[in-house]
Amino acid sequence: MRTPLPLPARRQPRGRCLVAIVAAAAIAVAPMTAAAASAAPPPAAADSGATDLGVEVLPAGDGWASWTGTTSPERVPREAEPVTGGASAAPADVYVVDTWQELRDALAGAPGGSQNDARYNQVPRIVYVTGTIDPWLRSDGTRITCEAIASQVTVPGAGTPFSMDDYIAAFGPGVDPSGPLEQARVAAAALQATMTLQHIGSNVTLVGVGDDARVVGASLRIRDAHNVIVRNLTLSDAYDCFPQWDAGDAGGNWNSAYDNLSVWTSTSVWVDHSTFDDGDHAAESLPTVYGRPFEVHDGLLDITHGSDLVTMSWNWFQHHDKTDIIGSSDSRTQDRGQHRVTQHHNRWTDIGQRGPRVRFGDVHVYNNLYEQTAATTAASTGEHPFFQYFWGAGKESSIVAESNAIELVDPASVSRVIAGWGGTELRATDTLVDGEQVDVLAAYNATASVPLSSAVRWHPAAAYPYTLDLVQDVAAIVRAGAGAGILESGTPGAARAPGAFTVSDDDGRDTGLRDGTYRILADLWWGQNATVVKLYENGTLIAAQRLDAATPTAQHVAFDIAGRGDGTYDYRVVALNPYGESVSRTHTVRVTDAAPGRGVLSATGVRTGDLTVTADLWWGTNATEYVLYQDGVEIDRQSLIAATPDAQHVVTRIGTLPPGTYTFSAVLSNAAGSTAAAPVTVTIR
């Protein structure tokens, strides 16, 4: 009944370690030594044309996402500012990912983090995506199937595994499914959601690197978030194994649960230079069930649940039916004043509808290209033409469409460029249809039962500055510039993933003691430069630094370590730039002298009756505290200044004691531990 998901070409796995804690130290970039330079030919200099998209922010005045002011998703006020995404991320919160689990960990901020961790995480993060990420692909190269998910669900009362084939056979046109099979379908859908749906939280930049960065078979959802950037990614085939049959939807339709990208209750979002498509499950490939296409997709990019202040620029939407809806439902009156969206320089190829359909929002649509090819005709049937409309004026919406280019396979369908869905206003100016200026609003109103007014309630120029390209140039400009893989992404300081750093330490060089205070030194003598280095101690990330990449210059990094107790510490450095990561060999440091050396106690004044106890530390790590005991009872405590390898000298004046025998003992301590001095016994006569 369904086509299996595609199996992408396998890529060589690369090591990753995704943990996030913050720490930093000073960095220095050193010139390459003569010995290193002579070892081999110098590495290729970086491609100066590449741009690090991870640190780029939304240009000033670029649509609603650049707006500053109050927005109120779900009627909760929030102050919005122009989108910067994760540009301010600390070095520890920069990731390069090429597997589904790595992506989930990066968005959650910790390995194995939950969806709520990702949803509510507000720590600025930059996540670079390389290659193809696919949640259906197991680590051993085999694939999860819809049937495998369904088999985990038992039909209530029947005791048999759920099957969509059984579900389809049990119902039919005009019948809304119910009962145990529908309950099982819902349960199977929930299992799929845990596997393929991923939330994105606030202050995130998610970018693809190169021209092949893809997320396939997954649904990404920006939820309850603000300040998010998604760029240079192909988001493909958010495939629903278990769509729901709705007999009352326009005579019956299969409805799916997943968008390639959705924006829920989120504000200040920029989606740019990305490609959205149905992958191997294009509309014409879907079987017909109950007389309707067995639809396994929902939207390509939907903006709902009171989301606001979104700019969609230079994206390519390919051959999809319900492409882009803005607004959840007519009944959500709390969305009034929300759903402000700008769409410019996007390419819409062979879409069926929703380019966009709007509820409540003030939406600016300018300099976009809408094109149809033979694929639009191929996806149509006699009773159900694939193309329905581009701009849908829904309840209380206000669309301003300026200088857009439209290419139709059927010129007679110009009256369907606009559709009314309960809206009252829409302004469309300077629209080019098949190379000719056409008043598409007049074409719609000529046959509409309820015409739309061109007197809109708002003006884009009052919200942000913008400049229109000449409409006759739009098609060429957009075809040349829209979609993923157009931007030269990466970093100007390197051309591929960094080389591996060599790790060393300077423990004992200052005092001759392995005292737990030292520096971990990392040097890159050969290979492409890194932009971030992360230091792991015994498998835990403890520090990270940014570097200026300037291949073929050598790179040198120092991490200050202090307060380590006696023991063994394994260090490795993970170096990354937008293209990938490298991992150093493990370097081991053995700390043997962290606790204070053993002090020497002495007593004077026994015969005179004026007793003084002295503690001297002649060798070893200094102490920061001294405690003296008389017969096991503390009688003196002093703070000391540590200045290893200097000696330490402490004096306690006891004074006069009654005749008898007394034992004095002392303990010298620092942060790493305590060391007892040999006791001294005195007899007072």
Side-chain angles (χ1 to χ4, degrees):
M1 184 55 66
R2 57 185 49 74
T3 307
L5 285 163
L7 177 63
R10 294 196 64 193
R11 306 169 67 245
Q12 291 297 318
R14 296 204 304 275
R16 295 279 187 275
C17 190
L18 297 173
V19 202
I21 63 175
V22 273
I27 63 173
V29 178
M32 182 175 289
T33 65
S38 63
D47 179 4
S48 60
T51 299
D52 188 344
L53 302 182
V55 298
E56 286 197 338
V57 302
L58 179 73
D62 194 345
W64 273 118
S66 68
W67 187 79
T68 299
T70 302
T71 175
S72 301
E74 296 297 305
R75 296 179 177 171
V76 178
R78 176 188 298 169
E79 292 306 306
E81 296 182 349
V83 174
T84 59
S88 65
D93 299 310
V94 178
Y95 305 87
V96 181
V97 302
D98 66 358
T99 70
W100 179 242
Q101 189 58 52
E102 289 173 357
L103 176 62
R104 303 190 103 171
D105 290 346
L107 293 173
S114 69
Q115 287 285 41
N116 277 344
D117 290 334
R119 178 177 170 185
Y120 298 117
N121 192 345
Q122 299 199 31
V123 175
R125 281 150 293 146
I126 300 172
V127 183
Y128 298 100
V129 175
T130 63
T132 297
I133 290 180
D134 183 352
W136 301 84
L137 184 64
R138 298 186 180 96
S139 58
D140 63 2
T142 61
R143 299 191 64 75
I144 302 167
T145 64
C146 295
E147 289 71 24
I149 297 173
S151 69
Q152 300 177 55
V153 175
T154 300
V155 179
T160 57
F162 174 67
S163 164
M164 274 300 285
D165 291 336
D166 293 343
Y167 179 90
I168 290 168
F171 305 106
V175 178
D176 274 327
S178 61
L181 279 171
E182 172 61 9
Q183 296 172 34
R185 185 200 66 79
V186 171
L191 282 179
Q192 181 185 345
T194 64
M195 186 183 81
T196 64
L197 175 65
Q198 178 59 44
H199 289 143
I200 300 173
S202 300
N203 305 313
V204 170
T205 293
L206 177 65
V207 297
V209 179
D211 59 5
D212 63 347
R214 306 172 68 221
V215 179
V216 178
S219 179
L220 302 182
R221 181 173 294 166
I222 302 168
R223 185 169 185 184
D224 299 323
H226 63 274
N227 192 32
V228 179
I229 296 173
V230 178
R231 300 184 75 194
N232 198 46
L233 275 173
T234 293
L235 301 178
S236 184
D237 200 10
Y239 183 95
D240 189 347
C241 291
F242 312 107
Q244 181 182 33
W245 173 250
D246 185 349
D249 181 4
N253 271 306
W254 291 96
N255 292 320
S256 296
Y258 305 114
D259 307 316
N260 289 13
L261 178 65
S262 57
V263 184
W264 281 29
T265 327
S266 294
T267 58
S268 302
V269 176
W270 181 30
V271 183
D272 175 69
H273 276 96
S274 292
T275 296
F276 299 81
D277 63 38
D278 288 348
D280 281 3
H281 297 93
E284 65 271 16
S285 71
L286 302 176
T288 299
V289 179
Y290 301 166
R292 297 294 293 132
F294 188 75
E295 183 58 74
V296 295
H297 302 115
D298 193 11
L300 289 182
L301 172 52
D302 284 359
I303 301 166
T304 59
H305 297 78
S307 294
D308 197 20
L309 305 176
V310 179
T311 295
M312 299 163 50
S313 56
W314 299 98
N315 301 295
W316 191 0
F317 301 94
Q318 299 180 2
H319 197 26
H320 186 89
D321 183 17
K322 301 174 181 178
T323 307
D324 171 41
I325 198 166
I326 301 173
S328 305
S329 70
D330 290 355
S331 63
R332 283 182 56 92
T333 56
Q334 68 264 40
D335 293 341
R336 287 174 175 146
Q338 300 294 109
H339 298 161
R340 291 171 289 182
V341 178
T342 301
Q343 299 180 341
H344 70 84
H345 295 93
N346 299 289
R347 184 178 181 182
W348 311 74
T349 303
D350 293 313
I351 69 166
Q353 56 183 308
R354 302 182 181 178
R357 175 181 171 177
V358 183
R359 295 181 175 99
F360 300 106
D362 293 344
V363 175
H364 192 196
V365 179
Y366 75 89
N367 282 162
N368 296 280
L369 170 63
Y370 300 83
E371 58 184 355
Q372 295 176 344
T373 72
T376 291
T377 303
S380 301
T381 64
E383 296 181 359
H384 299 280
F386 179 69
F387 172 61
Q388 297 184 47
Y389 64 92
F390 291 135
W391 306 326
K395 182 175 181 177
E396 298 183 27
S397 67
S398 187
I399 299 174
V400 175
E402 300 181 283
S403 300
N404 296 286
I406 298 174
E407 299 175 358
L408 301 172
V409 292
D410 176 11
S413 62
V414 68
S415 64
R416 290 189 277 127
V417 168
I418 297 171
W421 293 97
T424 60
E425 61 185 63
L426 182 150
R427 189 178 77 206
T429 57
D430 196 25
T431 307
L432 205 65
V433 179
D434 297 329
E436 302 291 335
Q437 289 278 349
V438 175
D439 187 341
V440 292
L441 180 60
Y444 167 76
N445 284 340
T447 59
S449 57
V450 180
L452 295 170
S453 170
S454 62
V456 293
R457 65 183 178 227
W458 74 293
H459 299 283
Y464 47 83
Y466 66 99
T467 301
L468 295 171
D469 288 317
L470 296 175
V471 70
Q472 59 265 33
D473 298 332
V474 165
I477 290 172
V478 172
R479 284 193 178 102
I486 300 295
L487 301 174
E488 290 290 341
S489 57
T491 173
R496 52 189 176 273
F501 278 71
T502 299
V503 182
S504 60
D505 72 90
D506 66 356
D507 196 18
R509 296 183 193 174
D510 52 349
T511 64
L513 297 167
R514 293 188 170 272
D515 56 7
T517 298
Y518 48 90
R519 292 188 304 166
I520 294 296
L521 309 171
D523 292 280
L524 179 66
W525 302 115
W526 177 251
Q528 297 290 304
N529 277 185
T531 55
V532 169
V533 289
K534 300 182 180 183
L535 179 66
Y536 291 82
E537 180 185 78
N538 296 338
T540 298
L541 178 64
I542 63 166
Q545 296 183 26
R546 286 191 184 275
L547 300 177
D548 293 325
T551 306
T553 303
Q555 290 180 304
H556 173 76
V557 189
F559 296 94
D560 291 325
I561 307 296
R564 300 301 187 263
D566 288 354
T568 299
Y569 300 88
D570 290 333
Y571 294 96
R572 58 191 180 85
V573 166
V574 175
L576 63 88
N577 63 30
Y579 302 103
E581 291 182 349
S582 67
V583 182
S584 72
R585 293 181 179 177
T586 298
H587 176 76
T588 300
V589 175
R590 292 178 176 84
V591 177
T592 56
D593 306 308
R598 185 173 296 277
V600 176
L601 287 184
S602 60
T604 60
V606 174
R607 292 182 179 180
T608 63
D610 187 11
L611 184 64
T612 297
V613 175
T614 302
D616 289 283
L617 179 64
W618 302 112
W619 175 251
T621 301
N622 278 184
T624 56
E625 185 178 66
Y626 153 83
V627 180
L628 180 66
Y629 299 88
Q630 177 183 315
D631 296 332
V633 177
E634 180 182 328
I635 61 170
D636 189 21
R637 180 182 295 261
Q638 298 185 37
S639 295
L640 306 178
I641 297 175
T644 308
D646 292 349
Q648 287 182 304
H649 178 74
V650 191
V651 176
T652 301
R653 186 175 181 279
I654 307 298
T656 302
L657 291 176
T661 300
Y662 303 90
T663 299
F664 295 92
S665 60
V667 175
L668 296 175
S669 302
N670 61 20
S674 301
T675 305
V680 61
T681 300
V682 298
T683 300
I684 306 296
R685 300 183 185 279

